[in-house]
């Protein structure tokens, strides 16, 4: 394997298909024989990134680059942007409405979960300009 | 413990993928918050939840769950069942509440996903 690029268009509030992009990321990583722990962390990060776009934005994209020693996930949305990134990184802080919470998400664990899975996470956002979250995940032996 | 043992202990109904009930369950996780399932559950775990939407199935797939038990008499939609069949994830349903379901399985030796050791049971509690 040299390099695999995946790109997904993610629609806002599409709870029927939410999770399918992450599912494909997982299957692809398993197919190329990525180590199990990297598959787990990358799949979870991709899922939370996908759910964030579905819940909070008006749509966006998720690009996943798979290299032998690295998985990069870049989630970009056209959304309201994050006013206070430090606050958004705190476990339990959420702006999601009750009907999202009833679906098992929106409890303020999305970004913290992504950080937990990541070797590196960068968030670029400003009110009214959307959000880009970049996550890097590396196999343990290469970290 | 196998999924079929789980079915018997909880008096559960099999919703789909009944041919996989010989699958071994190595731990269990009871929760309605999928983000916490993603954060704390281990591969091979049994997910017990009262949520029945398709996000439960995606979550179970991503954590390599052995199967899902819907508690409190909840029943998933045909869309959720279809997705689960596609992913090959066995679904069970019990009328028991989450606490009772987890307690029953724990009493049969199935442990959770805690990463810290369980405290020793106090002497007065064992005397009951």
């Amino acid at each position: 394997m040299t390099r695999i690029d995946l790109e997904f268009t993610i629609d806002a509030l599409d709870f029927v298909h939410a999770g399918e992009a992450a599912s494909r990321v997982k299957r692809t990583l398993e197919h190329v024989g990525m180590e199990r722990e990297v598959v787990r962390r990358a799949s979870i990060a991709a899922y939370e990134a996908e759910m964030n776009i579905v819940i909070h934005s008006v749509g966006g994209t998720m690009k996943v680059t798979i290299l032998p020693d690295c998985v990069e996930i870049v989630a970009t949305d056209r959304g309201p942007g994050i006013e206070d990134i430090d606050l958004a990184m705190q476990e339990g802080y959420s702006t999601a409405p009750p009907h999202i919470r009833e679906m098992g998400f929106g409890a303020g664990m999305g970004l913290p979960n992504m950080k937990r899975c990541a070797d590196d996470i960068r968030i670029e956002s400003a009110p009214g300009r959307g959000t880009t979250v970049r996550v890097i995940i590396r196999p343990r032996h290469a970290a | 413990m196998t999924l079929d043992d789980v079915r018997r202990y909880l008096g559960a109904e099999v919703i789909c993928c009944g041919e996989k009930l010989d699958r071994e369950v190595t731990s269990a996780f009871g929760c309605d918050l999928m983000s916490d399932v993603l954060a704390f559950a281990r591969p091979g775990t049994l997910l017990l939840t009262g949520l029945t939407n398709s996000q439960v199935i995606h979550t179970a797939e991503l954590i390599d769950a052995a199967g899902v038990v819907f508690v409190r008499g909840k029943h998933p939609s045909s869309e959720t069942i279809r997705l689960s069949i596609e992913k090959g994830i066995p679904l069970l349903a019990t009328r028991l509440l989450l606490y009772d379901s987890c307690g029953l399985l724990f009493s049969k030796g199935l442990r959770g996903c805690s990463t810290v050791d369980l405290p020793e049971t106090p002497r007065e509690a064992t005397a009951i």
Side-chain angles (χ1 to χ4, degrees):
Chain A
M1 178 191 63
T2 49
R3 174 190 173 117
I4 296 172
D5 289 288
L6 303 172
E7 182 166 354
F8 306 94
T9 301
I10 297 160
D11 295 324
L13 303 176
D14 181 2
F15 291 103
V16 175
H17 296 103
E20 285 182 3
S23 172
R24 230 190 96 202
V25 171
K26 179 173 192 264
R27 286 200 307 273
T28 306
L29 289 169
E30 284 171 344
H31 184 73
V32 301
M34 191 64 80
E35 74 178 54
R36 199 172 173 180
E37 183 60 17
V38 173
V39 176
R40 191 186 71 82
R41 289 192 286 135
S43 305
I44 292 171
Y47 192 25
E48 293 284 11
E50 190 179 358
M51 289 307 291
N52 271 347
I53 295 176
V54 171
I55 294 168
H56 295 289
S57 80
V58 294
T61 59
M62 181 164 72
K63 293 181 186 176
V64 180
T65 305
I66 302 168
L67 295 165
D69 60 347
C70 174
V71 179
E72 183 189 50
I73 300 166
V74 181
T76 304
D77 71 50
R78 305 178 299 279
I82 301 171
E83 218 159 289
D84 185 336
I85 293 176
D86 288 340
L87 194 56
M89 290 302 294
Q90 280 180 23
E91 289 190 5
Y93 176 80
S94 177
T95 57
H99 71 272
I100 300 292
R101 295 174 194 239
E102 282 162 17
M103 298 188 64
F105 285 88
M109 292 300 292
L111 287 173
N113 260 2
M114 289 171 74
K115 187 179 180 188
R116 203 191 294 259
C117 292
D119 290 296
D120 188 44
I121 180 166
R122 280 164 209 210
I123 303 171
E124 288 166 34
S125 185
R129 293 222 312 268
T131 300
T132 296
V133 182
R134 192 180 303 265
V135 172
I136 302 277
I137 293 147
R138 294 187 192 91
R140 285 276 154 76
H141 58 79
Chain B
M1 186 184 295
T2 65
L3 280 173
D4 198 51
D5 295 329
V6 171
R7 180 192 61 77
R8 284 189 296 115
Y9 294 145
L10 301 182
E13 168 202 349
V14 179
I15 300 174
C16 72
C17 302
E19 73 282 3
K20 293 182 177 168
L21 293 192
D22 56 350
R23 206 181 254 188
E24 198 67 28
V25 178
T26 52
S27 61
F29 199 101
C31 194
D32 285 353
L33 177 54
M34 293 303 114
S35 276
D36 272 357
V37 177
L38 292 169
F40 299 114
R42 290 200 295 257
T45 210
L46 176 72
L47 174 57
L48 297 103
T49 183
L51 277 190
T52 56
N53 59 42
S54 58
Q55 302 315 317
V56 174
I57 308 304
H58 285 300
T59 300
E61 181 196 15
L62 292 179
I63 62 162
D64 291 319
V68 178
V69 177
F70 296 111
V71 297
R72 305 193 283 271
K74 302 285 176 92
H75 220 272
S77 67
S78 54
E79 176 60 27
T80 300
I81 296 170
R82 186 201 58 75
L83 186 65
S84 207
I85 292 169
E86 182 190 316
K87 309 285 186 191
I89 298 169
L91 301 181
L92 304 177
T94 176
R95 291 175 63 191
L96 296 172
L97 303 183
L98 181 59
Y99 181 83
D100 295 323
S101 303
C102 294
L104 270 172
L105 296 179
F106 192 93
S107 73
K108 299 293 183 184
L110 184 63
R111 293 296 182 257
C113 297
S114 297
T115 51
V116 294
D117 292 335
L118 299 180
E120 273 181 49
T121 307
R123 192 172 295 274
E124 62 270 28
T126 56
I128 293 169

